[in-house]
Amino acid sequence: MQNFTTIFCEGIVHKKFFLLITISALAGCVNTYTYREDYKPLETFYSSKPAQNVQECILSEWQQHPLGYPVTQQKTGKYFSVLGVSDNADSFEENGKTVVNYYSLRGALDPWRGIKKRTAAIKRCL
């Protein structure tokens, strides 16, 4: 017969595991087509390079280090976007310069230090 401490500790481990699985599943439920409307950019960068060139550079940088998720590109309206499950970057031209808006859903749960790595990659492409 198991003692109370063993049963209690196993229950906590199972609850934490279930919570981690639930958070991971919900993070994948963000619609990549509405993130611009649903969230504010975490950071905004500026460049004198053309928006499409900046997007291609960011795509290449992010694909070298996918951080657990596939990375793709997309052109929607004025936006040249790089899309990952947890990170998105939009490059677009405005008032004669390129603006890069970086969005992230990583928050405090960021085991790969993805925000720091993604923003460093963006800065290398400006």
Side-chain angles (χ1 to χ4, degrees):
M1 183 171 179
Q2 295 179 328
N3 65 30
F4 175 76
T5 305
T6 304
I7 294 170
F8 181 74
C9 290
E10 286 177 358
I12 290 174
V13 170
H14 288 126
K15 286 179 184 177
K16 287 183 179 180
F17 178 73
F18 179 74
L19 179 62
L20 178 64
I21 296 300
T22 302
I23 290 171
S24 298
L26 291 175
C29 293
V30 173
N31 185 341
T32 57
Y33 299 104
T34 63
Y35 65 89
R36 290 181 200 98
E37 292 82 26
D38 296 343
Y39 300 96
K40 293 181 181 179
L42 187 63
E43 288 195 48
T44 300
F45 305 91
Y46 301 94
S47 175
S48 60
K49 298 177 183 176
Q52 187 172 0
N53 292 3
V54 173
Q55 177 221 29
E56 290 169 358
C57 178
I58 294 170
L59 176 66
S60 176
E61 289 276 338
W62 286 16
Q63 285 179 334
Q64 289 177 32
H65 306 284
L67 301 178
Y69 302 106
V71 178
T72 62
Q73 64 181 343
Q74 177 179 322
K75 169 74 168 94
T76 307
K78 69 177 184 176
Y79 299 104
F80 293 91
S81 303
V82 178
L83 306 171
V85 173
S86 298
D87 305 285
N88 298 323
D90 287 331
S91 302
F92 59 97
E93 294 179 11
E94 187 173 78
N95 299 324
K97 59 185 169 187
T98 293
V99 179
V100 179
N101 286 334
Y102 169 65
Y103 303 84
S104 180
L105 300 175
R106 292 180 182 275
L109 184 62
D110 190 7
W112 290 294
R113 295 182 15 196
I115 293 172
K116 183 177 181 177
K117 291 176 181 177
R118 294 296 193 221
T119 55
I122 292 170
K123 289 176 184 176
R124 287 192 294 273
C125 293
L126 299 177

